[in-house]
Amino acid sequence: EVVFIRHHTQAAEVSEEEFFRATESGGTVVSSALTLMNQIVRDRYMGSEWNIYGAQASDGDNWQQDSAKCRDLLQRQLLPLVRYFAYVQVAEEDQNLWEEYSTLREANPHFAMQKITAPHQIFPVFRELFRRTPAGSGV
């Protein structure tokens, strides 16, 4: 099953078509999407029969005070629930969200980060992030 979550200041679960086609404007509060993901996982996908994988793509621009909250949500609530979580920043410059998430990499081997700065990088980066690994390797 795949769940799509879009956000600007508020997050919502949407269809795949709406996820890829709708546009939003206004401020960005990333924590609203992570909070919704946590709620969806806990409501629908808890238990040993589920392997949860999360992926987040963003330009990394977020309200400064919200980026620390995002890091905390990932560290304390989401990473303990998922087998793997990937963050992709689609901007060249380090943004505040990238800086906060960078602090999670060393202690969480099932958390990965990559940047995409040009359209030709999209498929190679996602292939690398979600490549199959040998059994017993952790992901």
Side-chain angles (χ1 to χ4, degrees):
E1 294 186 26
V2 178
V3 175
F4 293 92
I5 298 172
R6 284 189 63 90
H7 71 87
H8 49 99
T9 56
Q10 293 294 317
E13 183 176 350
V14 297
S15 70
E16 181 177 2
E17 182 176 339
E18 186 177 359
F19 181 83
F20 287 107
R21 300 202 189 284
T23 58
E24 305 288 348
S25 62
T28 302
V29 181
V30 176
S31 65
S32 66
L34 297 175
T35 299
L36 181 56
M37 178 185 174
N38 184 50
Q39 178 184 343
I40 289 169
V41 169
R42 291 181 184 281
D43 289 349
R44 294 188 231 161
Y45 301 108
M46 290 299 287
S48 61
E49 68 274 8
W50 296 103
N51 289 316
I52 309 297
Y53 294 83
Q56 178 185 7
S58 171
D59 64 3
D61 189 25
N62 190 28
W63 290 352
Q64 186 68 40
Q65 66 272 22
D66 191 57
S67 292
K69 182 177 181 179
C70 291
R71 177 190 30 81
D72 190 56
L73 282 165
L74 268 176
Q75 184 174 20
R76 296 180 191 275
Q77 295 183 25
L78 289 171
L79 289 177
L81 297 177
V82 302
R83 289 193 42 86
Y84 184 70
F85 193 98
Y87 172 68
V88 176
Q89 181 177 287
V90 291
E92 194 167 330
E93 299 287 321
D94 285 355
Q95 299 290 337
N96 57 29
L97 197 56
W98 179 271
E99 292 168 4
E100 289 290 340
Y101 282 6
S102 292
T103 66
L104 300 174
R105 286 193 287 194
E106 190 173 318
N108 298 283
H110 65 300
F111 176 71
M113 296 172 58
Q114 291 279 344
K115 286 184 186 175
I116 295 174
T117 58
H120 74 274
Q121 296 174 321
I122 294 170
F123 289 115
V125 165
F126 274 93
R127 267 192 233 107
E128 172 66 20
L129 286 170
F130 291 99
R131 75 183 184 281
R132 289 187 183 263
T133 56
S137 68
V139 178

PDB file of all heavy atoms in Angstrom, residues 41-58:
ATOM      1  N   VAL A  41       0.274   5.697  10.336  1.00  0.00           N
ATOM      2  CA  VAL A  41       0.987   4.448  10.653  1.00  0.00           C
ATOM      3  C   VAL A  41       0.399   3.815  11.896  1.00  0.00           C
ATOM      4  O   VAL A  41       0.097   2.617  11.912  1.00  0.00           O
ATOM      5  CB  VAL A  41       2.502   4.701  10.819  1.00  0.00           C
ATOM      6  CG1 VAL A  41       3.194   3.474  11.419  1.00  0.00           C
ATOM      7  CG2 VAL A  41       3.133   5.076   9.492  1.00  0.00           C
ATOM      8  N   ARG A  42       0.208   4.603  12.933  1.00  0.00           N
ATOM      9  CA  ARG A  42      -0.312   4.049  14.195  1.00  0.00           C
ATOM     10  C   ARG A  42      -1.764   3.576  14.069  1.00  0.00           C
ATOM     11  O   ARG A  42      -2.136   2.578  14.675  1.00  0.00           O
ATOM     12  CB  ARG A  42      -0.154   5.064  15.316  1.00  0.00           C
ATOM     13  CG  ARG A  42       1.302   5.279  15.684  1.00  0.00           C
ATOM     14  CD  ARG A  42       1.496   6.266  16.817  1.00  0.00           C
ATOM     15  NE  ARG A  42       2.894   6.513  17.058  1.00  0.00           N
ATOM     16  CZ  ARG A  42       3.709   5.707  17.735  1.00  0.00           C
ATOM     17  NH1 ARG A  42       3.237   4.600  18.249  1.00  0.00           N
ATOM     18  NH2 ARG A  42       4.979   6.015  17.895  1.00  0.00           N
ATOM     19  N   ASP A  43      -2.559   4.248  13.253  1.00  0.00           N
ATOM     20  CA  ASP A  43      -3.964   3.859  13.095  1.00  0.00           C
ATOM     21  C   ASP A  43      -4.157   2.649  12.180  1.00  0.00           C
ATOM     22  O   ASP A  43      -5.048   1.842  12.399  1.00  0.00           O
ATOM     23  CB  ASP A  43      -4.794   5.022  12.527  1.00  0.00           C
ATOM     24  CG  ASP A  43      -5.001   6.149  13.525  1.00  0.00           C
ATOM     25  OD1 ASP A  43      -4.683   5.972  14.724  1.00  0.00           O
ATOM     26  OD2 ASP A  43      -5.461   7.226  13.100  1.00  0.00           O
ATOM     27  N   ARG A  44      -3.321   2.516  11.134  1.00  0.00           N
ATOM     28  CA  ARG A  44      -3.577   1.515  10.101  1.00  0.00           C
ATOM     29  C   ARG A  44      -2.521   0.432   9.919  1.00  0.00           C
ATOM     30  O   ARG A  44      -2.828  -0.616   9.370  1.00  0.00           O
ATOM     31  CB  ARG A  44      -3.746   2.199   8.745  1.00  0.00           C
ATOM     32  CG  ARG A  44      -4.951   3.072   8.648  1.00  0.00           C
ATOM     33  CD  ARG A  44      -5.115   3.516   7.211  1.00  0.00           C
ATOM     34  NE  ARG A  44      -5.264   4.949   7.176  1.00  0.00           N
ATOM     35  CZ  ARG A  44      -5.080   5.709   6.134  1.00  0.00           C
ATOM     36  NH1 ARG A  44      -4.712   5.186   4.991  1.00  0.00           N
ATOM     37  NH2 ARG A  44      -5.254   7.005   6.200  1.00  0.00           N
ATOM     38  N   TYR A  45      -1.283   0.724  10.320  1.00  0.00           N
ATOM     39  CA  TYR A  45      -0.193  -0.171   9.908  1.00  0.00           C
ATOM     40  C   TYR A  45       0.673  -0.669  11.048  1.00  0.00           C
ATOM     41  O   TYR A  45       1.818  -1.055  10.831  1.00  0.00           O
ATOM     42  CB  TYR A  45       0.685   0.546   8.866  1.00  0.00           C
ATOM     43  CG  TYR A  45      -0.098   0.961   7.657  1.00  0.00           C
ATOM     44  CD1 TYR A  45      -0.401   2.307   7.429  1.00  0.00           C
ATOM     45  CD2 TYR A  45      -0.573   0.020   6.743  1.00  0.00           C
ATOM     46  CE1 TYR A  45      -1.137   2.696   6.319  1.00  0.00           C
ATOM     47  CE2 TYR A  45      -1.308   0.404   5.638  1.00  0.00           C
ATOM     48  CZ  TYR A  45      -1.586   1.746   5.440  1.00  0.00           C
ATOM     49  OH  TYR A  45      -2.311   2.124   4.353  1.00  0.00           O
ATOM     50  N   MET A  46       0.158  -0.710  12.233  1.00  0.00           N
ATOM     51  CA  MET A  46       0.936  -1.233  13.355  1.00  0.00           C
ATOM     52  C   MET A  46       0.866  -2.755  13.337  1.00  0.00           C
ATOM     53  O   MET A  46      -0.097  -3.348  12.902  1.00  0.00           O
ATOM     54  CB  MET A  46       0.404  -0.698  14.683  1.00  0.00           C
ATOM     55  CG  MET A  46       0.659   0.784  14.895  1.00  0.00           C
ATOM     56  SD  MET A  46       2.398   1.249  14.924  1.00  0.00           S
ATOM     57  CE  MET A  46       2.869   0.596  16.502  1.00  0.00           C
ATOM     58  N   GLY A  47       1.898  -3.369  13.801  1.00  0.00           N
ATOM     59  CA  GLY A  47       1.909  -4.817  13.896  1.00  0.00           C
ATOM     60  C   GLY A  47       2.999  -5.427  13.043  1.00  0.00           C
ATOM     61  O   GLY A  47       3.554  -4.794  12.146  1.00  0.00           O
ATOM     62  N   SER A  48       3.288  -6.661  13.315  1.00  0.00           N
ATOM     63  CA  SER A  48       4.410  -7.336  12.669  1.00  0.00           C
ATOM     64  C   SER A  48       4.166  -7.665  11.202  1.00  0.00           C
ATOM     65  O   SER A  48       5.099  -7.997  10.486  1.00  0.00           O
ATOM     66  CB  SER A  48       4.752  -8.616  13.433  1.00  0.00           C
ATOM     67  OG  SER A  48       3.639  -9.494  13.431  1.00  0.00           O
ATOM     68  N   GLU A  49       2.930  -7.566  10.725  1.00  0.00           N
ATOM     69  CA  GLU A  49       2.663  -7.885   9.322  1.00  0.00           C
ATOM     70  C   GLU A  49       3.002  -6.742   8.375  1.00  0.00           C
ATOM     71  O   GLU A  49       2.937  -6.904   7.158  1.00  0.00           O
ATOM     72  CB  GLU A  49       1.211  -8.337   9.114  1.00  0.00           C
ATOM     73  CG  GLU A  49       0.158  -7.271   9.319  1.00  0.00           C
ATOM     74  CD  GLU A  49      -0.309  -7.104  10.766  1.00  0.00           C
ATOM     75  OE1 GLU A  49       0.262  -7.699  11.679  1.00  0.00           O
ATOM     76  OE2 GLU A  49      -1.273  -6.360  10.974  1.00  0.00           O
ATOM     77  N   TRP A  50       3.390  -5.588   8.899  1.00  0.00           N
ATOM     78  CA  TRP A  50       3.705  -4.424   8.065  1.00  0.00           C
ATOM     79  C   TRP A  50       5.184  -4.070   8.136  1.00  0.00           C
ATOM     80  O   TRP A  50       5.779  -4.054   9.202  1.00  0.00           O
ATOM     81  CB  TRP A  50       2.895  -3.203   8.515  1.00  0.00           C
ATOM     82  CG  TRP A  50       1.432  -3.374   8.336  1.00  0.00           C
ATOM     83  CD1 TRP A  50       0.518  -3.649   9.305  1.00  0.00           C
ATOM     84  CD2 TRP A  50       0.712  -3.298   7.112  1.00  0.00           C
ATOM     85  NE1 TRP A  50      -0.731  -3.741   8.763  1.00  0.00           N
ATOM     86  CE2 TRP A  50      -0.648  -3.534   7.401  1.00  0.00           C
ATOM     87  CE3 TRP A  50       1.077  -3.055   5.796  1.00  0.00           C
ATOM     88  CZ2 TRP A  50      -1.629  -3.532   6.434  1.00  0.00           C
ATOM     89  CZ3 TRP A  50       0.090  -3.055   4.828  1.00  0.00           C
ATOM     90  CH2 TRP A  50      -1.242  -3.289   5.148  1.00  0.00           C
ATOM     91  N   ASN A  51       5.756  -3.773   6.982  1.00  0.00           N
ATOM     92  CA  ASN A  51       7.086  -3.180   6.880  1.00  0.00           C
ATOM     93  C   ASN A  51       6.876  -1.765   6.356  1.00  0.00           C
ATOM     94  O   ASN A  51       6.450  -1.591   5.217  1.00  0.00           O
ATOM     95  CB  ASN A  51       7.977  -3.962   5.911  1.00  0.00           C
ATOM     96  CG  ASN A  51       8.368  -5.302   6.483  1.00  0.00           C
ATOM     97  OD1 ASN A  51       8.727  -5.413   7.643  1.00  0.00           O
ATOM     98  ND2 ASN A  51       8.280  -6.329   5.665  1.00  0.00           N
ATOM     99  N   ILE A  52       7.154  -0.786   7.165  1.00  0.00           N
ATOM    100  CA  ILE A  52       6.882   0.606   6.816  1.00  0.00           C
ATOM    101  C   ILE A  52       8.146   1.253   6.261  1.00  0.00           C
ATOM    102  O   ILE A  52       9.214   1.191   6.873  1.00  0.00           O
ATOM    103  CB  ILE A  52       6.405   1.408   8.051  1.00  0.00           C
ATOM    104  CG1 ILE A  52       5.261   0.704   8.778  1.00  0.00           C
ATOM    105  CG2 ILE A  52       6.054   2.844   7.660  1.00  0.00           C
ATOM    106  CD1 ILE A  52       4.014   0.536   7.971  1.00  0.00           C
ATOM    107  N   TYR A  53       7.993   1.869   5.088  1.00  0.00           N
ATOM    108  CA  TYR A  53       9.060   2.632   4.457  1.00  0.00           C
ATOM    109  C   TYR A  53       8.519   4.037   4.209  1.00  0.00           C
ATOM    110  O   TYR A  53       7.426   4.188   3.679  1.00  0.00           O
ATOM    111  CB  TYR A  53       9.478   2.007   3.116  1.00  0.00           C
ATOM    112  CG  TYR A  53      10.115   0.653   3.280  1.00  0.00           C
ATOM    113  CD1 TYR A  53       9.342  -0.491   3.414  1.00  0.00           C
ATOM    114  CD2 TYR A  53      11.500   0.535   3.311  1.00  0.00           C
ATOM    115  CE1 TYR A  53       9.924  -1.734   3.583  1.00  0.00           C
ATOM    116  CE2 TYR A  53      12.092  -0.710   3.467  1.00  0.00           C
ATOM    117  CZ  TYR A  53      11.302  -1.836   3.602  1.00  0.00           C
ATOM    118  OH  TYR A  53      11.885  -3.062   3.771  1.00  0.00           O
ATOM    119  N   GLY A  54       9.279   5.051   4.582  1.00  0.00           N
ATOM    120  CA  GLY A  54       8.855   6.426   4.372  1.00  0.00           C
ATOM    121  C   GLY A  54       9.805   7.139   3.428  1.00  0.00           C
ATOM    122  O   GLY A  54      11.001   6.859   3.410  1.00  0.00           O
ATOM    123  N   ALA A  55       9.251   8.046   2.647  1.00  0.00           N
ATOM    124  CA  ALA A  55      10.058   8.883   1.768  1.00  0.00           C
ATOM    125  C   ALA A  55       9.490  10.289   1.798  1.00  0.00           C
ATOM    126  O   ALA A  55       8.275  10.476   1.712  1.00  0.00           O
ATOM    127  CB  ALA A  55      10.059   8.339   0.345  1.00  0.00           C
ATOM    128  N   GLN A  56      10.366  11.247   1.928  1.00  0.00           N
ATOM    129  CA  GLN A  56       9.965  12.650   1.970  1.00  0.00           C
ATOM    130  C   GLN A  56      10.813  13.414   0.958  1.00  0.00           C
ATOM    131  O   GLN A  56      12.034  13.278   0.942  1.00  0.00           O
ATOM    132  CB  GLN A  56      10.201  13.214   3.375  1.00  0.00           C
ATOM    133  CG  GLN A  56       9.873  14.669   3.513  1.00  0.00           C
ATOM    134  CD  GLN A  56      10.236  15.198   4.900  1.00  0.00           C
ATOM    135  OE1 GLN A  56      10.849  14.511   5.701  1.00  0.00           O
ATOM    136  NE2 GLN A  56       9.859  16.431   5.160  1.00  0.00           N
ATOM    137  N   ALA A  57      10.158  14.199   0.122  1.00  0.00           N
ATOM    138  CA  ALA A  57      10.866  15.068  -0.824  1.00  0.00           C
ATOM    139  C   ALA A  57      10.454  16.500  -0.536  1.00  0.00           C
ATOM    140  O   ALA A  57       9.278  16.784  -0.319  1.00  0.00           O
ATOM    141  CB  ALA A  57      10.533  14.692  -2.261  1.00  0.00           C
ATOM    142  N   SER A  58      11.445  17.394  -0.535  1.00  0.00           N
ATOM    143  CA  SER A  58      11.175  18.777  -0.165  1.00  0.00           C
ATOM    144  C   SER A  58      12.265  19.672  -0.721  1.00  0.00           C
ATOM    145  O   SER A  58      13.389  19.228  -0.958  1.00  0.00           O
ATOM    146  CB  SER A  58      11.158  18.888   1.372  1.00  0.00           C
ATOM    147  OG  SER A  58      11.100  20.222   1.799  1.00  0.00           O
TER     148      SER A  58
END
